[in-house]
Amino acid sequence: MQALLDELSRRKKQAIAVLADVVMLPFCLWGAFALRLGEVSPEVLPFWSTFVVCVCVAIPVFGRLGLYRQVVRYMGNHAIWVMVQGCLITSIAVGCMAFYEFSMRTAGDPVFPRSVPPIFFLLALLYVSGSRFAVRSYIQHIKQVMVRQPVVVYGAGTKGVELARLLRQQGAYHPVAFVDEDRKLQKSSIDGIYVYPPKALDKVLRDNKVKQILVAVSEDIEARRRILEFLEKFSIRVRLIPDINELVEGKETLTNLRDVGIEDLLGRDEVEPLPHLLAQSVANRNVLVTGAGGSIGSDLPAQLRD
């Protein structure tokens, strides 16, 4: 299905959207009659002209507002406003046509229910917006499942939420969960992503087959060190994000995610070594490094060899 959609040209996709609206908008109007009259098969033949109007007005209006130029997978708040405007204009046109027919009717002709246009507006908006956002969700889901790697974002604050949104729009990662120490955020959902407490991290990693954790926390060195020490016991790659503001502004990209360095675990600003003093201590000597299984100890031999 995804491959078929990708192979379609832009014009073919637009034609499919127009055709779907031509078929479904009259059905929405029929549904408005059915709801208003409380009948499964309402008598709508006397009001056939309103069905013609709803299609002849809606399609050009949606086209003029740019709905058919929208890329479905990237639709956002602007598209919602466009759909509201288009459905409102169409429902007003239906109401005007019904008023015209009422002024021309003779005794014994059926009366057009005045509540049909508002009901039609709601049904049309539900269809137009629901169908497009359903397609968008399907495309994003397929892309996330088949292409992107699942990751956990540690930190559900402003930086973590912004990071998750960026991951959904670009990059090769799909955020499957937040982890945060703040109890007020735990057991809540942010942008459809559940927030877990740190103690549940092991289960989250197993259930989602996650191989990386992206840390999006404050610049407080002590807090970051504490988090990294907690994550050290998990057999998983831990990466730090660039400055989130630079990511949003486009100055940095998600390809610049970096692995944890020694300086991230110090709990203080890094102090550059003095080469001549270091050389006096280790040059031409056999040196024993204790605690080499940890993050700092494992990096020391490499630095000593250099």
Side-chain angles (χ1 to χ4, degrees), residues 1-6 73 133-150 168 171-174:
M1 182 65 177
Q2 178 65 29
L4 179 61
L5 290 175
D6 291 338
R73 71 180 65 186
F133 282 110
V135 172
R136 187 191 72 170
S137 298
Y138 171 77
I139 293 174
Q140 290 180 343
H141 174 73
I142 294 299
K143 189 173 182 180
Q144 290 167 356
V145 171
M146 299 184 63
V147 179
R148 298 187 176 184
Q149 301 177 27
R168 284 176 164 175
Y173 304 107
H174 164 48

Side-chain angles (χ1 to χ4, degrees), residues 19 29 71 76 90 100 104 106 110 174 197 220 234 262 278 287-289:
L19 181 61
L29 183 55
V71 180
T90 304
Y100 172 76
M104 301 295 291
T106 59
H174 164 48
D220 181 78
F234 297 97
I262 293 297
L278 186 60
V287 179
L288 173 65
V289 178

